[in-house]
Amino acid sequence: MTKLENCGDTLVVAHNGSHGAYEVGKRTFDVLSPLFVIVEFSWLFALIALAIKLDDSQGVVIFRQTRVGKKGDRTFSMWKFRSMCSDAKERLAGLMRYNEKDGPAFKMAHNPRDTRVGHFICKTSLDELPQFFNVLFGQMPIVGSHRALPSEVAQYAPYQPHRLLCDAGITSYWQVQRNRDSLTFNEWVGLLYVKTRSFFTDLKLIFRTVGMILIARGC
């Protein structure tokens, strides 16, 4: 388990003796789990890809978005099944006045850029299945901090980059909050996972994530 203490503006990280075992166990899990998901659910990957193309043939099937990795000194392309129309980026500026989030993040409950298939796979979190390839390639873990965009990191307050001490994960504390859409940006970038990460924390977040998927609380 990782213990963090605030010393002025500096975050000091102290590890106990089990830290090395935790890291090895976490990476082993992050290799075996994606292999199982990709092999066992390859038919679902193919079905979703076909549905996306039939619904909107103009855009790509896999959407790539740059996210910030550990310590903020590297970025990677995070993969998702495309859930929005092919001109979603161009339409964003016209929708900014409807943004329901504070800070640099954008969130809109009924986003007109969502396709019909996209709305379904986003609500059921099926749009995130390609991220198991990111995990397999070591770019992100299954459980971690919330995934940050470079534009969000650029506007962090002095203490907020500390959350980048942990890699962004497929799931996080933010994603299992029932009221996550009402959280402020300051709460969104909280340090809870950085402070409490452990085998138990990871398992707890995985089980809670499955529960959120079953009640279709994605997006």
Side-chain angles (χ1 to χ4, degrees), residues 79-122:
W79 302 327
K80 298 180 70 174
F81 280 121
R82 179 172 60 87
S83 61
M84 294 186 180
C85 55
S86 54
D87 61 344
K89 186 175 181 180
E90 290 73 21
R91 295 173 61 181
L92 178 60
L95 296 172
M96 289 303 296
R97 65 182 181 275
Y98 302 113
N99 188 12
E100 298 168 5
K101 280 285 184 186
D102 63 335
F106 178 83
K107 188 73 176 179
M108 189 175 175
H110 302 288
N111 197 326
R113 300 178 299 164
D114 290 341
T115 64
R116 291 170 297 178
V117 169
H119 179 74
F120 173 77
I121 63 175
C122 187

Side-chain angles (χ1 to χ4, degrees), residues 20-109:
Y22 167 69
E23 294 295 343
V24 172
K26 185 179 181 74
R27 181 55 191 154
T28 301
F29 180 79
D30 285 345
V31 170
L32 297 180
S33 296
L35 285 173
F36 173 81
V37 171
I38 292 167
V39 172
E40 291 297 320
F41 294 97
S42 57
W43 61 271
L44 183 56
F45 281 75
L47 185 62
I48 294 172
L50 178 61
I52 291 171
K53 269 300 180 183
L54 290 176
D55 191 30
D56 180 10
S57 61
Q58 299 302 311
V60 298
V61 169
I62 301 294
F63 173 73
R64 299 186 179 189
Q65 191 173 50
T66 300
R67 297 292 174 123
V68 179
K70 196 171 185 178
K71 299 181 181 178
D73 59 1
R74 70 174 179 87
T75 59
F76 66 98
S77 292
M78 188 187 76
W79 302 327
K80 298 180 70 174
F81 280 121
R82 179 172 60 87
S83 61
M84 294 186 180
C85 55
S86 54
D87 61 344
K89 186 175 181 180
E90 290 73 21
R91 295 173 61 181
L92 178 60
L95 296 172
M96 289 303 296
R97 65 182 181 275
Y98 302 113
N99 188 12
E100 298 168 5
K101 280 285 184 186
D102 63 335
F106 178 83
K107 188 73 176 179
M108 189 175 175

Side-chain angles (χ1 to χ4, degrees), residues 163-183:
R163 72 191 290 258
L164 299 174
L165 288 168
C166 293
D167 277 318
I170 292 181
T171 191
S172 63
Y173 270 114
W174 175 82
Q175 293 198 240
V176 299
Q177 301 301 313
R178 290 180 177 271
N179 66 331
R180 64 188 186 185
D181 289 338
S182 64
L183 297 179

